[in-house]
């Protein structure tokens, strides 16, 4: 079913593009960058986000093929539209050396196994826990927020080599994490011809490239 875009959203994106030229980004990178900026009204995400087009192409295919989606908190899950999500925070318990958010990630992995798409927008400890699991994710959207551990956990995600969307700074949050996932959900599955064109474009077209870190 074709998504109907509300006029307010259309006007919001028009104003965003009037203030920021995103036309140089590859298609999925542009979709993620714009929707994250739209969710936060923060143009700095254009240079703060880190991902690449090949990663997004593979994740987009996995998502539209039915890969499970895991959210670290209910606020992230609530922001994701058009897809059921797994969030085990209500079932999780903290213990010595393990936060409730980290335990929720363990429980979710036991449920979904490898190949899932993980959307982490709140707790750095959730992202840290995912990195020590052999989760083999299709994508990690790692955008936790905070002054303690957020930037460090996202740097560790990039260093892990896992397919990821992250950002360099301490900012992030549930809304922007959900927005990044929604960008992939809303973007139509490409035809075989458009796939070929996408793969012939620049392989590394993130807002901030990994090599620049």
């Amino acid at each position: 079913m074709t998504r109907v875009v509300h006029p307010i959203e259309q006007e919001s994106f028009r104003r965003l593009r009037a203030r920021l030229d995103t036309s140089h980004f590859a298609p999925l990178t542009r979709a993620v960058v714009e929707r994250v900026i739209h969710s936060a009204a923060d143009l700095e995400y254009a240079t703060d986000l880190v991902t690449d087009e090949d990663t997004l192409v593979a994740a987009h295919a996995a998502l539209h093929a039915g890969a499970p989606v895991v959210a670290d908190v209910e606020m992230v899950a609530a922001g994701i539209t058009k897809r059921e999500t797994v969030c085990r925070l209500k079932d999780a318990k903290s213990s010595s050396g393990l936060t409730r958010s980290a335990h929720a990630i363990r429980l979710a992995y036991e449920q979904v196994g490898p190949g899932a798409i993980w959307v982490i927008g709140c707790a750095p400890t959730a992202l840290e826990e995912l990195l020590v699991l052999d989760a083999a994710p299709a994508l990690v959207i790692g955008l936790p927020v905070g002054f303690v551990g957020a930037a460090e956990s996202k740097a560790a995600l990039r260093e892990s080599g896992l397919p990821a969307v992250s950002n360099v700074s301490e900012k992030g949050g549930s809304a922007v994490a959900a927005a990044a996932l929604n960008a992939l959900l809303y973007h139509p599955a490409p035809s075989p011809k458009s796939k070929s064109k996408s793969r012939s474009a620049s392989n590394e077209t993130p807002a901030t490239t990994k090599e620049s870190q």
Side-chain angles (χ1 to χ4, degrees), residues 1-6 9 35 81-82 186:
M1 181 180 295
T2 303
R3 177 173 175 263
V4 178
V5 180
H6 193 279
E9 182 177 330
R35 192 151 291 277
T81 60
K82 298 178 66 175
Y186 298 163

Side-chain angles (χ1 to χ4, degrees), residues 34 56-57 68 72 80 82 94 100 122 124 139 174 182 195 208:
E34 288 188 343
L56 295 178
V57 168
D72 64 329
I80 295 171
K82 298 178 66 175
S94 62
R100 186 168 168 239
C122 183
L139 181 69
S174 299
N182 285 336
K195 281 184 180 180
T208 303

Side-chain angles (χ1 to χ4, degrees), residues 46-93:
T47 54
D48 193 41
L49 286 169
V50 183
T51 189
D52 65 76
E53 188 70 5
D54 280 351
T55 293
L56 295 178
V57 168
H60 181 265
L63 181 64
H64 286 270
V69 176
V70 181
D72 64 329
V73 294
E74 293 290 347
M75 286 187 293
V76 171
I80 295 171
T81 60
K82 298 178 66 175
R83 179 60 68 90
E84 294 294 322
T85 61
V86 173
C87 180
R88 297 297 303 275
L89 190 62
K90 289 182 179 179
D91 305 314
K93 297 180 180 179

